[in-house]
Amino acid sequence: MDNSIAIIFASMVSQILLLLASTLFQGAQGTIGVNYGTVANDLPPSPQVAHFLVESTIIDRIRLFDSNPEILQAFAHTGIEVTISVPNDQIPHLTKLSFAEQWVKTNVQAYTPATNIVRILVGNEVLSTANKLFIASLVPAMQTLHTALVAASLDPKIKVSTPHSLGILSTSSPPSTGKFRQGYDTHVFKPLFSFLRSTNAPFMVNPYPYFGYSDDTLDYALFRPNPGVLDENTKLTYTNMLDAQLDAVFSAMKLLGFEDLDIVIAETGWPSEANSAQVGVSPENAAEYNGNLMRHVNSGAGTPLMPNRTFETFIFALFNENLKPGPISERNFGLFRPDMTPVYDIGIMRPTGRSSVPMNPSPYESPGPAVSPIGPSPTSQPVDGKRWCLPKSGVDQDALQRNIDYVCGLGLDCGPIQEGGMCFDPNTVRAHAAYAMNMYYQVMGSYEYDCDFEHSGALTDVDPSYGRCKY
């Protein structure tokens, strides 16, 4: 190859790799939200949840299905964006300005600006209730609520919207034929879209490939390689079901002249457990869907009809909820168990948190009492490249505390994990042990055996540093 051509080719490859890297980095830095449902009797206290999300995950936004005061108070000063909701049965009351003003005073002004409330959703999938009063009151309620926000000077920051299921479409396949149900198109969606456009608020939908797949379309639903589905009208090929669902909504919006509105995915997800007869449900498939979803919506690729776009997305759900009615799957959409351990890993844990999710757990590895690292074997060599030593999954706090005591007892500088230190928060034994164990590993020469700690330590190539805490 000619040198000049080789240089140009190398430059192009370099730029592509940089673009990919920046895209992946963007997708991993807090560009995903979760639905924080509470239909359960075994969930951790909301202050603990808020602390966990801030310190251990990259989740930077939550959606509530109400305006729970305990949760709103718990998320004060966290910076996490909070979307709150008005229950369906309050929609008719909200059409009265006095009620809307009081609702804003009680559920918004009482918590802002300490709690970062950015959106209020009026109802949830209101059209699917078939309740004529709720449906007729929906847009007037949104308008009145916005008026109350204007009076409180909160309208620039807090937007009003309402989420819908895909049942609002009368036609969705192929995507180019997407159309809203007759009657709703002119009486509900036109005034709704006019309101959203005038207030610079997004249209919110709940697309669930999980509810639309069959055995034959599982790969298509999970973003796996597949032959694709051709839309004969546009000659565009769809490689995943989510894009097809979003484009069907877009086509319906375009018919009414509102293709300029942003679309937010208010809910989507995949359960990790269901009835044994159901094909396609497992922790692995849930991880595959949600992991691929997160990468896709943040990639900037967009959809065939909406190219070069990202989509604000809320995964359903934060926790498994043991009191939800219906089939087993309804109680198993959570990313986390009630004890806040991940059901599966999709890359939303910060490095210190991710170390507790073994990628290849061995049934033969069980943590023993951690007093000191084992001695070197004659064949041990320093590991190549930069690595960090963190606690393994399943190690009890007593063992981790002994690791801290051992390392700090050697005279190494444990100041950063003392109160007031850069790494004191989160103030947990696991977080402090991670810092102490890694410090020992680095100081002793980064030999693999220096991270053993009687089988309680594991090496990672992901830098666990966060904020001002540097590992």
Side-chain angles (χ1 to χ4, degrees), residues 346-376:
I346 60 169
I348 60 173
M349 302 296 291
R350 294 189 186 276
T352 48
R354 191 180 295 120
S355 67
S356 66
V357 190
M359 298 305 293
N360 296 293
S362 165
Y364 305 107
E365 289 183 348
S366 59
V371 179
S372 66
I374 61 172

Side-chain angles (χ1 to χ4, degrees), residues 312-471:
E312 182 183 352
T313 299
F314 293 81
I315 293 177
F316 189 86
L318 181 55
F319 293 112
N320 285 336
E321 298 172 72
N322 67 342
L323 296 183
K324 291 200 74 173
I328 295 171
S329 60
E330 285 295 314
R331 294 178 287 282
N332 289 278
F333 271 89
L335 296 173
F336 297 95
R337 303 178 185 90
D339 64 359
M340 294 191 292
T341 57
V343 179
Y344 44 81
D345 184 18
I346 60 169
I348 60 173
M349 302 296 291
R350 294 189 186 276
T352 48
R354 191 180 295 120
S355 67
S356 66
V357 190
M359 298 305 293
N360 296 293
S362 165
Y364 305 107
E365 289 183 348
S366 59
V371 179
S372 66
I374 61 172
S377 65
T379 57
S380 295
Q381 296 293 329
V383 293
D384 294 328
K386 182 72 172 175
R387 286 193 175 188
W388 294 265
C389 177
L390 301 172
K392 277 184 183 176
S393 163
V395 182
D396 64 62
Q397 292 201 2
D398 289 341
L400 294 179
Q401 185 62 55
R402 288 195 291 272
N403 288 352
I404 297 171
D405 295 342
Y406 174 81
V407 172
C408 298
L410 293 174
L412 298 179
D413 181 14
C414 288
I417 56 175
Q418 303 301 320
E419 188 167 2
M422 298 292 192
C423 303
F424 178 70
D425 288 322
N427 182 19
T428 64
V429 173
R430 173 171 286 276
H432 291 178
Y435 183 88
M437 292 164 67
N438 179 69
M439 176 171 57
Y440 180 92
Y441 166 73
Q442 303 294 347
V443 167
M444 298 306 291
S446 301
Y447 287 88
E448 195 164 331
Y449 54 75
D450 288 322
C451 186
D452 188 276
F453 288 93
E454 289 294 329
H455 310 303
S456 67
L459 291 172
T460 177
D461 57 5
V462 180
D463 185 355
S465 300
Y466 58 94
R468 295 184 299 165
C469 179
K470 305 301 179 186
Y471 277 60

Side-chain angles (χ1 to χ4, degrees), residues 180-380:
F180 292 119
R181 292 189 178 277
Q182 190 172 4
Y184 289 156
D185 52 358
T186 55
H187 297 296
V188 177
F189 286 110
K190 270 197 171 181
L192 171 62
F193 291 153
S194 294
F195 168 79
L196 296 177
R197 179 186 278 167
S198 68
T199 58
N200 195 30
F203 183 49
M204 304 186 72
V205 293
N206 301 339
Y208 276 93
Y210 169 71
F211 292 118
Y213 86 98
S214 63
D215 293 358
D216 296 335
T217 59
L218 182 61
D219 289 345
Y220 183 57
L222 292 175
F223 300 89
R224 291 172 178 167
N226 64 86
V229 177
L230 178 67
D231 185 328
E232 291 287 354
N233 297 324
T234 60
K235 304 304 179 185
L236 295 171
T237 298
Y238 287 81
T239 58
N240 67 82
M241 191 179 293
L242 181 74
D243 279 358
Q245 292 178 337
L246 291 174
D247 274 359
V249 173
F250 175 79
S251 295
M253 295 168 68
K254 188 175 181 180
L255 274 179
L256 298 181
F258 292 92
E259 66 269 28
D260 56 304
L261 291 179
D262 281 339
I263 295 175
V264 168
I265 299 173
E267 279 182 46
T268 190
W270 200 279
S272 58
E273 186 179 344
N275 185 291
S276 58
Q278 186 169 353
V279 176
V281 177
S282 67
E284 293 77 17
N285 283 355
E288 193 169 6
Y289 176 77
N290 285 322
N292 287 335
L293 163 79
M294 191 167 67
R295 285 183 286 274
H296 182 61
V297 297
N298 287 305
S299 69
T303 69
L305 289 180
M306 295 180 285
N308 308 315
R309 285 175 67 164
T310 58
F311 295 93
E312 182 183 352
T313 299
F314 293 81
I315 293 177
F316 189 86
L318 181 55
F319 293 112
N320 285 336
E321 298 172 72
N322 67 342
L323 296 183
K324 291 200 74 173
I328 295 171
S329 60
E330 285 295 314
R331 294 178 287 282
N332 289 278
F333 271 89
L335 296 173
F336 297 95
R337 303 178 185 90
D339 64 359
M340 294 191 292
T341 57
V343 179
Y344 44 81
D345 184 18
I346 60 169
I348 60 173
M349 302 296 291
R350 294 189 186 276
T352 48
R354 191 180 295 120
S355 67
S356 66
V357 190
M359 298 305 293
N360 296 293
S362 165
Y364 305 107
E365 289 183 348
S366 59
V371 179
S372 66
I374 61 172
S377 65
T379 57
S380 295

